Amino acid sequence: MSSIDIQNLNFNYQPNSTTLSDVNVQFEIGQFYLLVGPSGSGKSTLLKILTGLLPEFGGEIANGTFSIPNQLKVGLVFQNPNHQFTLDTPRHELEFVLENLRVDPELMPAKINSALAFCEIESLIDRQLNTLSGGEKQKVALAIVIAMERDIILLDEPFASIDPQSRAELIAKLVTLRDQQQKTIIIADHDLLGYKQVVDHVYTIHNQTIQTLSREDGLQLLTDFEKQVPAITSTLPIANLEVAFNFDELQIQIQQHALLSQSSLQIPSGKVTLITGENGIGKSTLFLSMAKLMKFSGEIQMNQTNIQKIKAKKYAREVALIFQDSENQFLTVTMREEIELSKQHRKSDYFNDAMITSCLTQLNLNELLDQVVYTLSEGQKKKLQILLMLIVEPEVLLLDEPLKGLDIDSIHQIVTILNAYRAEHQQTIVMISHQFSGLNQFVDYHLNFANQKLTYVETVS
Amino acid sequence: MNPSFKLILIILISFEISFTRSLTANCVLIAVCLIYLMIHKIKLKTLGIVLLIPVIPAVALSITIAFFTPAQDYHFALVLFSRMFAYVLLGTSFTLINSPIELARSLEQNLHLPSKFAYGSLAAFGVLPKMKSTILTLQKAALMRGITLSYWSPKLYFKALLIAMNWSDELAQAMLSHGYVEDTTRTYAATIPIKSTDWAYMIVPILIIQPLLFLLP
Amino acid sequence: MNLSNHYHVRDIIFITLIGIAFGAIFISTNFIYNFLTVVLTPVGLAPMANDINMGIWVMAGPLTGFILRKPGAGFLGEFLAAVGEMFFGGQWGASTLISGAIQGIASELGFTLTGYKVYNWFSLCLSCLTTTIVTFAWDMFKNGYAEFHFGMLILLFVVRFISIFFFGGILTKMIAALLDRSHMLAKFGGSNV
């Protein structure tokens, strides 16, 4: 047997909700696989089943089997680089891992050094993991899998928050592992850039099951993705527009990594400005700074006032950040309670009960009022989250990847509601997005974030 | 000195001075700890900050004992005052010199503490800085909806518990995938020995401190 | 019966994280303690700042005991938080560890007395009461409470009980109710047995 063999696999977390159904697929040993699918489609679930983390940590295999060839061991690199280490430094973590595998202490230093050398991160050995960048942490995570001598390496959206260079370096390392050591690589990702030259097979995950693409179809999918052009039109902001935000010598950094260094920038008031840029470049961090959740040097002015001089409570009511993780915005248990809570602090009666009901209907949420918010689907959570923040009527909305993982209907519903509200209130919207479908009539201006700078781009369709 | 032995020594002494009233013993302990910290080249600034911590409660408590109790016992007021500094210096003699991982390894190897307690709590301590910023984020997110989450708001604790749940699930999964299995034997990258000098370092100070505690005022 | 069998590594991480999260919330109360201490000193009531704040410091114990419903949870909730505080927090040193252990035993005792079978208002109040009594007894020595006259002791005891009852009792019950309605603990799985 020379492949991982999955037959009729059915998995569910709750007794009456299926996450994976009838998965029949083979992964051949020594090949590089890309598993593509939107967030929440079951990619992580499948990888965790193969690693043995599920059903150990919840759910059950309702039906079916999977088998891994004799003696071959499976290792996993997680999506969130912050929650995969037990100890404080790469050296200690690697020692911990080798201790767990009952490796002879005498052999440990050599194994640790060679794993770190392979990933070219010897200099990080005694650094505090908490001070490393996302990319560095993922390299440490890979070094651990290598030190553990895993034959099958699974990676669950490992590049979600890391910069393009680290991503390219990591992919190159994985290719080396396949070519020189016959390791099997399976990466789950929704961003398909940079895989065309390296992967052997592309599988898609859709409707709870896996489709295997032929080599040609797989290549086609990756080629199409790379050719995809942002289908939005935007102009450069004209002079003497009313300005919502003004950046003055703004410098943002995390630990020692400089993210943004902007001598001057204006964001127009009452308009929609889209911010694009590679993963890990600092877009979310910029929003945290604009929401006064993160320190920065230089000045950010809102309506000509330095935001550091505006009281926290007042500022929070004017500038609302729609967090990427919807759950951050919830405070109670059911949808009804969340809406009641937002209603308590409305500024006007624009969002009266009739209006709220009509929005809920438009967003297909009206039947779910008594559901626990944490059990909603990701799309439902996002729609509710945006509605909750509209009800409190902030002057500025900062939307961090609001469309990620949403289907096209939900995107249209959200854009419709934002547009209707904006027509009435002339709200300023700044939005980070990797996704452009459905945004064409919505966006006024487009800022690109690259090389620690934000620049307006003009796109003509 | 073996970290477990050192911790036991420090706890025993801290415990004993809580029940005894010897100003001399407290002062000797403070002096010994200061010398010990100096020998280990602790920055004066760090030491200064450490010594500032107990000032308000120490002053307040000794004033109360000295002037607002039936006995108005000035000696005991000074005992309490010095006791607080002794606690802090005894503690920092450990925490500024021994790292949590050294202690965890020693507890696992020398005192046979189940490794899940040592490494489970270390994994949690690793996300401490992120927990602080996450709590601030929660409070800010509420503020954006006009709600102030204070330390008496059940909602804030509820959210904190949900986060603790999510993170503990992720961290435990990470440990498992890093080869950790509860209650199985492991090898040790660094063996923490118990030397005969460790016994001496623990027993001799305890013997010396007894007459000070019980015979001197 | 081996207590350690009741705990998987995930439970230990969870309990430690509760302590850490609560510690992060309490940081904002440090100035209240200092302010109260300074204000109350001239009237001879300085120790009362200690008693007023006691509920905040000990609430992790009754809370973890009440939501995890296992022997030892109340103790671990308080003690692991103290270990974290010793290394990363207030530097109160070894006395943090001793106080943590004593507070942990104190809140555990309430659940022990009901044989870990009853988890309702009664057992929670009992845990608040044992916490008050045991921590107070400890302060008789550690903070010299034994010197105070009887009236003052009664006052301090009552204040401490009110504080612990508010944070460890009322607030804990409200938090547990939210958690219960969210069904999240059941989803977390296995812990709430």
Side-chain angles (χ1 to χ4, degrees):
Chain A
M1 187 169 64
S2 64
S3 63
I4 302 166
D5 196 2
I6 303 175
Q7 289 188 342
N8 302 321
L9 188 75
N10 286 263
F11 186 90
N12 51 264
Y13 286 98
Q14 307 292 321
N16 40 21
S17 76
T18 312
T19 303
L20 291 175
S21 92
D22 250 345
V23 174
N24 283 290
V25 71
Q26 266 131 38
F27 295 98
E28 278 175 56
I29 297 309
Q31 305 264 295
F32 194 134
Y33 290 85
L34 179 62
L35 191 56
V36 182
S39 51
S41 59
K43 300 190 298 289
S44 302
T45 306
L46 182 71
L47 298 189
K48 286 183 176 175
I49 291 171
L50 293 177
T51 323
L53 291 172
L54 293 174
E56 168 96 25
F57 278 85
E60 61 162 351
I61 295 179
N63 194 13
T65 55
F66 72 94
S67 60
I68 288 163
N70 288 343
Q71 313 291 327
L72 294 189
K73 295 252 191 291
V74 186
L76 176 65
V77 174
F78 290 82
Q79 176 174 3
N80 186 340
N82 299 310
H83 295 163
Q84 58 185 328
F85 304 113
T86 306
L87 296 174
D88 54 348
T89 65
R91 184 198 300 276
H92 288 153
E93 186 70 21
L94 280 156
E95 285 173 351
F96 170 71
V97 166
L98 296 174
E99 287 174 345
N100 294 336
L101 301 179
R102 279 171 254 175
V103 169
D104 180 347
E106 306 236 318
L107 304 175
M108 286 183 188
K111 281 180 187 282
I112 291 172
N113 290 335
S114 82
L116 291 173
F118 179 82
C119 294
E120 296 176 56
I121 47 168
E122 297 100 317
S123 61
L124 303 181
I125 185 163
D126 288 317
R127 289 269 303 277
Q128 290 288 314
L129 284 162
N130 274 331
T131 65
L132 301 185
S133 72
E136 290 168 332
K137 282 181 200 159
Q138 291 303 53
K139 286 178 189 169
V140 175
L142 182 64
I144 287 167
V145 176
I146 290 164
M148 293 176 83
E149 295 171 5
R150 293 316 197 205
D151 312 285
I152 299 163
I153 303 177
L154 312 180
L155 303 98
D156 183 8
E157 302 233 11
F159 311 124
S161 58
I162 76 171
D163 60 287
Q165 196 194 334
S166 305
R167 182 173 194 264
E169 287 165 4
L170 276 159
I171 292 178
K173 292 295 170 199
L174 293 168
V175 170
T176 311
L177 286 169
R178 174 198 59 188
D179 294 344
Q180 294 177 3
Q181 303 179 33
Q182 289 72 52
K183 306 262 188 199
T184 311
I185 315 284
I186 307 175
I187 298 191
D189 207 339
H190 67 271
D191 179 1
L192 311 185
L193 228 52
Y195 287 116
K196 209 172 91 185
Q197 315 297 334
V198 300
V199 297
D200 299 304
H201 305 276
V202 181
Y203 289 179
T204 61
I205 188 160
H206 197 65
N207 289 334
Q208 303 166 348
T209 196
I210 291 186
Q211 261 106 41
T212 58
L213 300 186
S214 69
R215 202 172 276 255
E216 294 72 36
D217 288 350
L219 271 180
Q220 195 57 48
L221 184 74
L222 299 180
T223 313
D224 290 350
F225 188 89
E226 289 187 1
K227 276 198 204 138
Q228 202 180 22
V229 197
I232 45 159
T233 48
S234 62
T235 55
L236 296 177
I238 46 166
N240 60 45
L241 268 178
E242 209 176 313
V243 171
F245 286 100
N246 183 36
F247 297 167
D248 190 5
E249 300 299 336
L250 180 62
Q251 312 262 353
I252 301 175
Q253 55 178 29
I254 295 187
Q255 313 290 358
Q256 295 88 0
H257 313 276
L259 293 175
L260 179 73
S261 168
Q262 188 88 21
S263 56
S264 165
L265 183 86
Q266 285 79 41
I267 295 177
S269 169
K271 303 284 180 189
V272 178
T273 305
L274 172 74
I275 299 180
T276 58
E278 308 264 19
N279 280 332
I281 205 106
K283 303 185 296 297
S284 296
T285 315
L286 169 68
F287 270 12
L288 291 179
S289 301
M290 289 171 75
K292 292 218 287 183
L293 263 165
M294 175 130 202
K295 287 205 176 104
F296 53 85
S297 60
E299 225 173 82
I300 299 179
Q301 291 138 10
M302 185 202 174
N303 302 335
Q304 283 110 44
T305 313
N306 181 355
I307 63 168
Q308 302 292 22
K309 301 221 165 99
I310 307 175
K311 284 219 169 80
K313 202 165 179 172
K314 183 167 182 287
Y315 189 71
R317 292 306 311 273
E318 298 307 334
V319 179
L321 173 54
I322 311 283
F323 293 95
Q324 213 177 110
D325 180 357
S326 311
E327 288 192 8
N328 268 338
Q329 225 105 29
F330 301 146
L331 296 171
T332 59
V333 179
T334 66
M335 193 187 279
R336 191 188 302 277
E337 290 168 347
E338 289 291 346
I339 289 170
E340 285 304 316
L341 205 60
S342 274
K343 269 167 65 181
Q344 283 174 18
H345 299 277
R346 283 176 294 194
K347 288 180 189 155
S348 75
D349 56 1
Y350 177 81
F351 277 102
N352 54 29
D353 287 354
M355 182 67 183
I356 291 175
T357 310
S358 119
C359 287
L360 285 170
T361 315
Q362 230 175 330
L363 295 170
N364 273 334
L365 295 173
N366 50 328
E367 305 278 317
L368 304 168
L369 275 170
D370 290 309
Q371 195 161 334
V372 174
V373 287
Y374 304 96
T375 63
L376 296 169
S377 75
E378 287 309 312
Q380 291 164 342
K381 279 183 200 166
K382 187 53 75 182
K383 291 191 277 186
L384 173 65
Q385 178 196 12
I386 292 175
L387 179 61
L388 293 175
M389 295 315 293
L390 283 180
I391 293 175
V392 295
E393 299 173 57
E395 201 177 310
V396 178
L397 270 184
L398 306 175
L399 295 147
D400 191 354
E401 293 274 10
L403 311 177
K404 197 171 161 186
L406 290 188
D407 57 85
I408 193 76
D409 288 340
S410 298
I411 292 178
H412 282 306
Q413 291 161 5
I414 287 174
V415 170
T416 308
I417 280 175
L418 284 172
N419 263 333
Y421 180 69
R422 213 159 61 86
E424 200 89 11
H425 288 75
Q426 281 81 46
Q427 211 174 21
T428 304
I429 295 181
V430 189
M431 172 159 137
I432 295 170
S433 190
H434 274 105
Q435 190 165 334
F436 311 113
S437 47
L439 289 183
N440 199 17
Q441 300 304 312
F442 183 61
V443 170
D444 297 306
Y445 305 113
H446 176 186
L447 275 171
N448 187 46
F449 195 158
N451 303 320
Q452 303 175 15
K453 291 269 181 307
L454 287 156
T455 336
Y456 278 105
V457 244
E458 192 172 18
T459 351
V460 195
S461 65
Chain B
M1 181 174 182
N2 181 290
S4 298
F5 278 45
K6 185 171 165 188
L7 187 65
I8 291 170
L9 173 66
I10 281 171
I11 289 177
L12 278 178
I13 294 177
S14 298
F15 199 68
E16 257 197 304
I17 59 169
S18 306
F19 292 96
T20 47
R21 297 183 168 199
S22 167
L23 182 59
T24 321
N26 288 351
C27 291
V28 168
L29 283 171
I30 290 172
V32 170
C33 287
L34 281 174
I35 293 167
Y36 178 77
L37 288 167
M38 297 289 194
I39 291 171
H40 282 85
K41 301 206 166 62
I42 297 302
K43 282 195 203 114
L44 280 178
K45 196 181 160 201
T46 316
L47 203 57
I49 293 169
V50 163
L51 290 174
L52 272 180
I53 297 166
V55 167
I56 292 182
V59 170
L61 186 61
S62 28
I63 288 179
T64 312
I65 297 286
F67 302 109
F68 296 97
T69 55
Q72 302 212 342
D73 186 342
Y74 294 138
H75 174 259
F76 187 50
L78 285 173
V79 168
L80 281 178
F81 185 85
S82 57
R83 187 189 280 173
M84 295 228 186
F85 288 91
Y87 282 146
V88 168
L89 285 168
L90 281 165
T92 42
S93 295
F94 192 89
T95 54
L96 290 184
I97 288 164
N98 298 77
S99 65
I101 180 170
E102 260 180 90
L103 177 63
R105 284 174 167 172
S106 170
L107 291 174
E108 180 191 12
Q109 294 176 34
N110 306 137
L111 302 189
H112 303 290
L113 175 82
S115 60
K116 59 188 172 187
F117 287 98
Y119 293 104
S121 48
L122 281 179
F125 295 148
V127 295
L128 196 139
K130 206 159 154 261
M131 184 61 90
K132 285 185 188 162
S133 63
T134 304
I135 297 287
L136 290 178
T137 304
L138 286 179
Q139 289 173 317
K140 192 67 150 225
L143 212 54
M144 287 170 189
R145 294 167 71 185
I147 298 145
T148 308
L149 287 185
S150 196
Y151 62 93
W152 61 75
S153 315
K155 288 190 186 85
L156 180 58
Y157 293 94
F158 167 60
K159 293 290 291 186
L161 284 173
L162 293 184
I163 286 162
M165 242 179 251
N166 278 335
W167 292 9
S168 58
D169 216 36
E170 290 180 21
L171 286 167
Q173 290 191 21
M175 284 176 80
L176 185 65
S177 82
H178 283 184
Y180 179 77
V181 181
E182 290 172 25
D183 306 321
T184 53
T185 46
R186 311 168 67 249
T187 51
Y188 304 126
T191 312
I192 314 270
I194 300 178
K195 291 175 277 193
S196 46
T197 48
D198 289 325
W199 286 102
Y201 284 142
M202 181 166 73
I203 292 169
V204 172
I206 291 178
L207 290 179
I208 295 175
I209 197 81
Q210 299 314 312
L212 295 179
L213 279 171
F214 291 100
L215 299 176
L216 294 174
Chain C
M1 186 182 68
N2 185 350
L3 266 190
S4 118
N5 291 341
H6 286 279
Y7 292 92
H8 291 296
V9 74
R10 183 177 60 169
D11 304 318
I12 295 159
I13 301 174
F14 179 48
I15 293 171
T16 316
L17 283 177
I18 293 176
I20 288 171
F22 286 17
I25 295 172
F26 304 156
I27 288 174
S28 62
T29 68
N30 278 348
F31 86 96
I32 301 176
Y33 171 74
N34 285 331
F35 173 79
L36 283 174
T37 307
V38 171
V39 169
L40 291 171
T41 302
V43 289
L45 287 172
M48 204 173 6
N50 198 30
D51 297 278
I52 292 172
N53 278 271
M54 189 55 84
I56 305 174
W57 297 332
V58 302
M59 81 178 277
L63 185 108
T64 36
F66 192 71
I67 64 172
L68 286 180
R69 309 195 167 190
K70 306 185 193 201
F75 173 78
L76 285 175
E78 199 56 53
F79 183 70
L80 290 177
V83 176
E85 206 198 312
M86 179 174 94
F87 276 106
F88 305 98
Q91 300 284 5
W92 264 103
S95 74
T96 305
L97 221 49
I98 300 174
S99 300
I102 286 169
Q103 289 162 5
I105 293 167
S107 46
E108 182 71 28
L109 206 56
F111 301 109
T112 315
L113 289 174
T114 49
Y116 303 104
K117 290 195 181 74
V118 194
Y119 287 91
N120 54 16
W121 259 119
F122 176 73
S123 57
L124 194 56
C125 290
L126 197 62
S127 172
C128 290
L129 189 65
T130 54
T131 308
T132 312
I133 294 170
V134 175
T135 58
F136 202 80
W138 168 236
D139 274 335
M140 292 293 264
F141 299 100
K142 187 200 161 203
N143 283 326
Y145 277 27
E147 294 289 304
F148 300 143
H149 59 80
F150 189 68
M152 169 118 160
L153 282 180
I154 296 287
L155 177 68
L156 294 180
F157 186 88
V158 169
V159 168
R160 177 173 302 209
F161 180 71
I162 292 171
S163 170
I164 293 178
F165 182 70
F166 177 76
F167 287 98
I170 296 174
L171 204 54
T172 295
K173 199 80 170 52
M174 290 166 89
I175 297 162
L178 282 170
L179 206 54
D180 203 37
R181 288 202 296 123
S182 75
H183 307 296
M184 292 304 276
L185 204 56
K187 212 176 144 199
F188 186 58
S191 286
N192 197 356
V193 188

